[in-house]
Amino acid sequence: MIRFVSLGPGDPELITVKGLHALQKADVIFCPATAHKSSEEGPVSFSSRAAEIVQALGIEQKHISLFHVPMSRDREAARRAYDQLAVEVCRARRKRMEVVVVAEGDAGFYSSIHYLFDKLQANQIEVELIAGVPAFIAAGATAGLHIVKQTERLLVIPGTATAYELISQVKEGQVVVIMKLSACQAAVRTCIATHPEFLYYYFEQVGTKEELCVTDPAQLMSMSFPYFSLLIIRKPEEKR
Ligand code: SAH
């Protein structure tokens, strides 16, 4: 059985008990890592927020194995990286090791790890997905926000939205969560500029020391949104 463990968005305490037990039992834990280059020719170094969370939970480094998936729009490169990871995962499994693959937030929510999950499943390898706290749920909690109330509807979208779509959906009364916000900076600015009366809750690096929450539309207009950011937009509530 290969277990896919959701780590939550950054705060190590936001993992589930089930997820923690799976990590504690694992012989090898595959963690996604990001590549950094100090200059064009310089050496590549890797950092892994996922590995930091795993270590903060008391798991020894010797159980951690990093894998790198290119984040470019070229999904072919990512697919090749996951094919390679599938080979490593199967090798560890043949040695009868307890194998865990981790993902930040919830592993079944906008997580590219599904390539690997689907591939293993297609090859009749037993897989299990252990649920976790997605970033937007943790974000709402840190701000004391009740994301949706009573009969309200929630729409979660990636950063492919146009300004027109955002505005019409919020006007319709939907609460909109934008993931991968860095991909739709211009659309968000148009929405803020034309509808400063909407309520904006911007979150960056939720669950880490760098966590930031901004609700002032004017401040949001001057910001640039990094990869680990999301935005919740809603219409002001009507007074009864
Ligand atoms: N599986 C993750 C989502 C991965 S998609 C989850 O369940 O939350 C990556 C996007 O998630 C980022 O572009 C960002 O919009 C959001 N995200 C993930 N972690 C975040 C964090 N700690 N703070 C803010 N946004 C985060």
Side-chain angles (χ1 to χ4, degrees), residues 9 49 104-106 109-110 134-135 179-180 205-206 227-229:
R49 277 168 46 126
E104 288 170 57
D106 178 83
F109 192 77
Y110 286 127
M179 310 285 295
K180 307 181 187 182
Q205 304 274 10
V206 173
Y227 180 74
F228 281 109
S229 67

